[in-house]
Amino acid sequence: MAKKSGKRGGRGAQADGKQVIATNRKARHNYAIVEVFEAGVVLVGTEVKSLREGHASLVDAFATVDDGEVWLRNLHIPEYHHGTWTNHAPRRNRKLLLHRRQIDSLVGKIRDGNLTLVPLSVYFADGKVKVELALARGKQAHDKRQDLARRDAQREITRALGQRAKGMR
């Protein structure tokens, strides 16, 4: 009898068992990532059903530490369209689940350096909703321009090497 792998196919499936729901595409452009954490999220039933349909937006989302708890704010999960009066509020504050040592470490790093907590992505891992949370420092405009110039130069190098390998140059 063949052994089943626990991975599901379909939209957003990846080799490492993650099914990505939403990503914050501007985060890596606007922030320099210092450290990345994985956190669970406390959700209600209709939020999970809406996420299973692939609906979520991290555009204005951020995380804060209040009274020793980490909260995800402004994550937009639209109402479940088959839901009834028990539907959730789309932009409610959601508690993140981290170990106490991780929270204490975050509090210390945020207080010491000019750092913030930015969600990078929301995904399913083994059937549970997880958030990839980054400890990040805001980039200045000149840093963003340097990153763009570096990326363009790398793209040109790759293109030239590819053309040379094909014998076009």
Side-chain angles (χ1 to χ4, degrees), residues 41-88:
V41 187
V42 177
L43 299 171
V44 296
T46 55
E47 289 175 326
V48 177
K49 290 177 182 182
S50 186
L51 288 173
R52 289 220 183 271
E53 291 180 343
H55 302 303
S57 175
L58 285 168
V59 173
D60 295 328
F62 63 98
T64 59
V65 181
D66 300 327
D67 298 328
E69 294 179 337
V70 183
W71 294 88
L72 185 60
R73 303 183 189 278
N74 276 347
L75 168 66
H76 184 265
I77 301 175
E79 289 185 352
Y80 182 58
H81 68 277
H82 292 302
T84 59
W85 58 273
T86 59
N87 246 336
H88 62 278

Side-chain angles (χ1 to χ4, degrees), residues 11-14 16 18-31 33 36 51 54-62 72 74-77 118-124 129-134:
R11 195 176 101 195
Q14 295 178 348
D16 57 355
K18 289 183 184 179
Q19 183 183 358
V20 178
I21 301 162
T23 57
N24 190 349
R25 296 175 55 175
K26 286 277 196 176
R28 293 189 190 275
H29 178 71
N30 292 333
Y31 298 96
I33 307 301
V36 178
L51 288 173
H55 302 303
S57 175
L58 285 168
V59 173
D60 295 328
F62 63 98
L72 185 60
N74 276 347
L75 168 66
H76 184 265
I77 301 175
V118 179
L120 298 177
S121 64
V122 177
Y123 55 91
F124 283 104
V129 178
K130 303 286 183 177
V131 173
E132 190 175 35
L133 196 64

